[in-house]
């Protein structure tokens, strides 16, 4: 049995799809952990993906944990606060992983890993990364291939600009070159 964070993004969508195909849908748990910056579309896209795959999903917002941690601290909207969000998600996922004896799947691709674009003890947490050898452009190619006969991964996930949604209107390309150039 495995668990992964479902963000509404392409990487987690592909990993959920691969896991459901490899292990059976009954063995995959996707956890949505929206924050104050998560778009409604990301939550809805995750729900649609889970329905398409037939996997179990749960939702646990990180905003209350974030607010509790920050109650006596100045809010700056900086990297420390972004990384805190990723680490709160990892804590939730690791708790469920340990409690339910599930392997946590990491959701980073090769492009992000090569650039150090991830949070140690955050979104890089996990016991296995199914797409660690796939560049971001290949993540898109494989996702489109999976959808060649029917929509498994919602097209909205494939079409949206990649974002960790750690601050308002964030896009991966704010800090990285376009993936076609990077890859």
């Amino acid at each position: 049995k495995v668990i992964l964070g479902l963000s509404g993004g392409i990487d987690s969508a592909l990993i959920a799809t691969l896991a459901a195909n490899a292990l059976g849908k009954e063995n995959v748990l996707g956890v949505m952990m929206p924050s104050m910056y998560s778009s409604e579309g990301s939550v809805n896209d995750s729900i649609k993906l889970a329905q398409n795959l037939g996997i179990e999903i749960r939702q646990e917002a990180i905003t209350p944990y974030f607010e509790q941690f920050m109650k006596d601290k100045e809010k700056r909207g900086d990297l420390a606060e972004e990384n805190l969000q990723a680490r709160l998600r990892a804590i939730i996922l690791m708790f469920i992983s340990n409690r339910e004896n599930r392997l946590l799947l990491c959701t980073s691709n090769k492009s992000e890993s090569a650039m150090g674009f991830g949070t140690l003890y955050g979104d890089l947490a996990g016991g296995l990364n199914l797409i660690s050898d796939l560049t971001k452009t290949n993540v898109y190619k494989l996702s489109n291939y999976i959808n060649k006969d029917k929509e498994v991964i919602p097209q909205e996930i494939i079409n949206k600009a990649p974002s960790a949604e750690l601050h308002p209107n964030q896009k991966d390309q704010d800090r990285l070159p376009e993936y076609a150039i990077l890859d």
Side-chain angles (χ1 to χ4, degrees), residues 139-155:
V139 166
Y140 280 101
K141 287 177 185 176
L142 183 53
S143 297
N144 281 309
Y145 178 78
I146 287 168
N147 278 3
K148 72 182 185 328
D149 296 323
K150 69 174 187 171
E151 185 180 87
V152 176
I153 298 172
Q155 197 61 46

Side-chain angles (χ1 to χ4, degrees), residues 91-155:
I91 289 169
I92 292 167
L93 291 169
M94 284 305 306
F95 177 82
I96 298 169
S97 170
N98 292 157
R99 174 66 49 96
E100 298 180 16
N101 199 28
R102 293 177 178 269
L103 176 66
L104 176 57
L105 300 178
C106 180
T107 57
S108 293
N109 60 67
K110 186 176 187 175
S111 303
E112 294 166 359
S113 296
M115 296 301 296
F117 192 66
T119 302
L120 189 60
Y121 312 117
D123 57 324
L124 299 177
L128 181 64
N129 186 342
L130 302 179
I131 62 169
S132 62
D133 289 330
L134 289 180
T135 61
K136 188 73 158 196
T137 52
N138 283 328
V139 166
Y140 280 101
K141 287 177 185 176
L142 183 53
S143 297
N144 281 309
Y145 178 78
I146 287 168
N147 278 3
K148 72 182 185 328
D149 296 323
K150 69 174 187 171
E151 185 180 87
V152 176
I153 298 172
Q155 197 61 46

Side-chain angles (χ1 to χ4, degrees), residues 51-71:
Q51 290 170 340
N52 289 354
L53 296 174
I55 65 171
E56 179 186 354
I57 56 169
R58 297 182 198 161
Q59 181 170 326
E60 183 160 354
I62 65 165
T63 305
Y65 304 116
F66 180 86
E67 293 299 332
Q68 179 64 31
F69 186 87
M70 293 297 297
K71 73 178 179 182

Side-chain angles (χ1 to χ4, degrees), residues 171-182:
K171 302 289 181 259
D172 289 3
Q173 264 51 79
D174 295 342
R175 294 193 179 142
L176 293 175
E178 291 181 30
Y179 282 110
I181 294 168
L182 175 62

